Amino acid sequence: MSDDFKEKLHKLIHQAIHNFGGNSQAIVQIVDLLFNFAIKVRASDLHLEPLEKFLRVRYRIDGHLHELHEPLPIKFAAALISRIKILAKMDTTATFSPLDGAIQFGEVEMRVASIPSFGAETMTIRLLNTSKNLQNISDLGFTSANEKIFRKMISQTSGMIILTGPMNSGKSTTLYAALRELNQPARSVMTLEDPIEQHIEGISQIQVNEKVGLTFAAGLRAMLRMDCNCLMVGEARDAETSQIAVRAALTGHLIFTTLHAGDSCSAVFRMIEMGVEPYLLASTLKGVVAQRLVRKICPHCKKNFPANDLEKKIFGAEEIFKSVGCEKCGGTGYFGRIALQEILIVDKKIRELILNSRDLDKIQETALENGLKTLLVDGVEKVRAGLTTLEELQTILGENFFVI
């Protein structure tokens, strides 16, 4: 973003601060400024954090938090948060309970969450640009080989497909892309989500509401009576939901769900730990996609640089793509993100190991022998293609990163 834009923001905020003295219009102006600035810098999340002496404002851009302008006076905290709660149709009097709501701000849908903190309320706002988030499978960053595997996997008529990874690893985006491809007039598709992040015309999407008893488990039971072909369960978060989903896959439904696990093979054992019988899992599981998001090299300042010793060892090249930072990427050298994928195909050998063995290392060894490309290998291919950097892989993969 340009320095001129930042200066304009600072000037407008200072004007609003000057006009604050009981003037509610000043608060309205500041909230609109913060929302527009978040959209301008491509933020996925906006954080409002009241501290002892000031209100800190941070923006998550391409997975990293940034303070892009000076904090606001702490006296603004209550009024700003109250204004946002009104827009999100949240209870402004409930300052001691966690709350959530939603705001439609132009083309951007905002998911608002607040939680009481020491002497104040902390608020996080997730920005979902509905005009830009609708991606197809070919837009997700799959290598050509992995895209073929994934398309073949989701073309099956029954069984379970699991997407795994930490929070904010793009699992929902991948699921929605798969559902859009499966959304055909001859096929009934339903989802059970908390929350519904994207609306897809032609698919029945159900919002979990635990206050009225519509939990993941209860909703999944009800959906099985609805004569549908394909079901997406937002998260296999407990033993009951996982077991119902597996049995649904056994009866002829194609089931998609997400799970928190370190990699594709670990997801298999996570399901067993949650109480799913190995014989049921072996009979129904078709594949697991482990996923992470890494920042892409900014195309506006991308250049060839001399490779260091590690890069020479890995790529066998004297030069490698990096970026120096520019106005477009805010000086970071990165612009946007791309997914790394690891796809475990559950074939006969893997099914036998699920059924008869509790040895994770053996499953990983067999999967690698069968051609599994790990997150690291997929990432290295994307560095070689000039899409990301080795430093970014090390940051995202952490302890899973090793010197080749």
Side-chain angles (χ1 to χ4, degrees):
M1 78 268 353
S2 68
D3 290 337
D4 289 344
F5 188 84
K6 284 187 180 180
E7 288 176 10
K8 183 179 179 182
L9 176 75
H10 294 163
K11 183 179 179 181
L12 290 171
I13 286 177
H14 281 299
Q15 287 176 353
I17 290 172
H18 180 73
N19 296 330
F20 177 58
N23 182 358
S24 61
Q25 189 58 38
I27 292 297
V28 171
Q29 183 183 16
I30 292 176
V31 169
D32 287 349
L33 283 171
L34 294 177
F35 285 177
N36 280 310
F37 187 69
I39 295 167
K40 179 77 174 181
V41 298
R42 304 180 297 106
S44 62
D45 300 87
L46 168 62
H47 291 243
L48 302 177
E49 303 160 317
L51 303 178
E52 185 177 356
K53 295 181 179 179
F54 56 83
L55 176 65
R56 181 167 68 176
V57 182
R58 293 193 287 175
Y59 303 83
R60 188 174 294 280
I61 304 168
D62 296 334
H64 291 246
L65 279 172
H66 300 270
E67 289 187 67
L68 297 178
H69 54 75
E70 62 190 62
L72 299 174
I74 190 61
K75 66 180 181 180
F76 280 78
L80 282 173
I81 288 172
S82 179
R83 167 63 181 169
I84 295 170
K85 288 171 79 172
I86 289 171
L87 292 173
K89 297 180 173 57
M90 298 158 68
D91 186 351
T92 57
T93 64
T95 58
F96 299 104
S97 303
L99 298 171
D100 57 78
I103 300 170
Q104 190 68 43
F105 189 79
E107 292 185 337
V108 178
E109 187 174 341
M110 299 182 175
R111 298 297 168 84
V112 183
S114 68
I115 192 168
S117 55
F118 183 71
E121 284 182 275
T122 296
M123 180 170 279
T124 302
I125 302 161
R126 169 148 292 188
L127 287 76
L128 303 168
N129 192 329
T130 54
S131 68
K132 294 182 180 179
N133 284 350
L134 302 178
Q135 294 182 305
N136 297 315
I137 290 175
S138 56
D139 302 323
L140 298 176
F142 283 107
T143 61
S144 57
N146 274 346
E147 184 175 338
K148 288 178 183 177
I149 293 170
F150 186 66
R151 287 183 182 278
K152 183 177 180 181
M153 190 180 292
I154 68 170
S155 68
Q156 299 178 79
T157 57
S158 65
M160 172 177 278
I161 297 169
I162 297 173
L163 274 83
T164 188
M167 187 174 65
N168 296 328
S169 59
K171 300 186 297 295
S172 295
T173 300
T174 301
L175 277 177
Y176 281 121
L179 292 178
R180 274 192 293 277
E181 185 140 322
L182 296 173
N183 183 20
Q184 303 294 333
R187 185 184 288 118
S188 173
V189 182
M190 300 184 75
T191 73
L192 184 64
E193 307 173 61
D194 186 23
I196 297 171
E197 294 186 18
Q198 295 179 19
H199 295 276
I200 306 175
E201 187 174 353
I203 291 180
S204 298
Q205 296 174 266
I206 295 93
Q207 169 71 53
V208 168
N209 187 347
E210 295 189 358
K211 292 180 181 178
V212 298
L214 184 53
T215 62
F216 274 109
L220 182 51
R221 284 197 191 92
M223 288 163 67
L224 294 177
R225 297 191 289 269
M226 298 300 294
D227 186 32
C228 57
N229 306 103
C230 176
L231 298 171
M232 189 271 271
V233 182
E235 183 182 352
R237 62 174 58 176
D238 56 51
E240 186 180 14
T241 305
S242 301
Q243 291 168 17
I244 298 169
V246 168
R247 292 186 180 277
L250 192 65
T251 58
H253 298 83
L254 180 62
I255 305 288
F256 291 89
T257 192
T258 68
L259 191 66
H260 293 293
D263 55 46
S264 58
C265 295
S266 297
V268 175
F269 280 81
R270 181 78 184 104
M271 292 292 285
I272 294 173
E273 287 172 356
M274 292 175 71
V276 176
E277 293 290 345
Y279 77 92
L280 289 175
L281 190 62
S283 300
T284 57
L285 187 61
K286 301 299 183 182
V288 183
V289 180
Q291 189 163 295
R292 299 289 190 280
L293 292 177
V294 294
R295 292 180 295 173
K296 292 194 296 185
I297 296 174
C298 175
H300 307 287
C301 54
K302 180 177 177 179
K303 295 180 181 178
N304 268 319
F305 282 81
N308 60 34
D309 291 342
L310 177 59
E311 291 163 344
K312 288 178 183 177
K313 181 180 178 181
I314 294 173
F315 305 110
E318 294 297 318
E319 291 186 322
I320 193 165
F321 281 113
K322 294 185 181 180
S323 50
V324 295
C326 63
E327 181 182 316
K328 294 284 187 180
C329 62
T332 65
Y334 297 97
F335 191 95
R337 290 191 287 177
I338 192 170
L340 308 181
Q341 291 101 355
E342 172 184 303
I343 305 181
L344 172 67
I345 303 170
V346 180
D347 59 10
K348 183 178 180 181
K349 289 183 179 179
I350 299 295
R351 280 196 292 272
E352 288 174 355
L353 289 172
I354 294 173
L355 190 59
N356 301 314
S357 172
R358 295 296 179 91
D359 189 342
L360 176 58
D361 290 338
K362 184 63 177 175
I363 288 184
Q364 289 175 329
E365 180 184 331
T366 303
L368 289 170
E369 289 173 356
N370 289 353
L372 174 73
K373 287 188 176 181
T374 65
L375 289 165
L376 177 61
V377 170
D378 191 60
V380 167
E381 286 189 17
K382 284 164 183 171
V383 175
R384 184 178 285 113
L387 297 173
T388 188
T389 65
L390 211 56
E391 293 82 5
E392 181 68 1
L393 291 190
Q394 192 165 10
T395 299
I396 297 301
L397 297 181
E399 64 183 20
N400 294 322
F401 186 91
F402 58 87
V403 176
I404 299 176

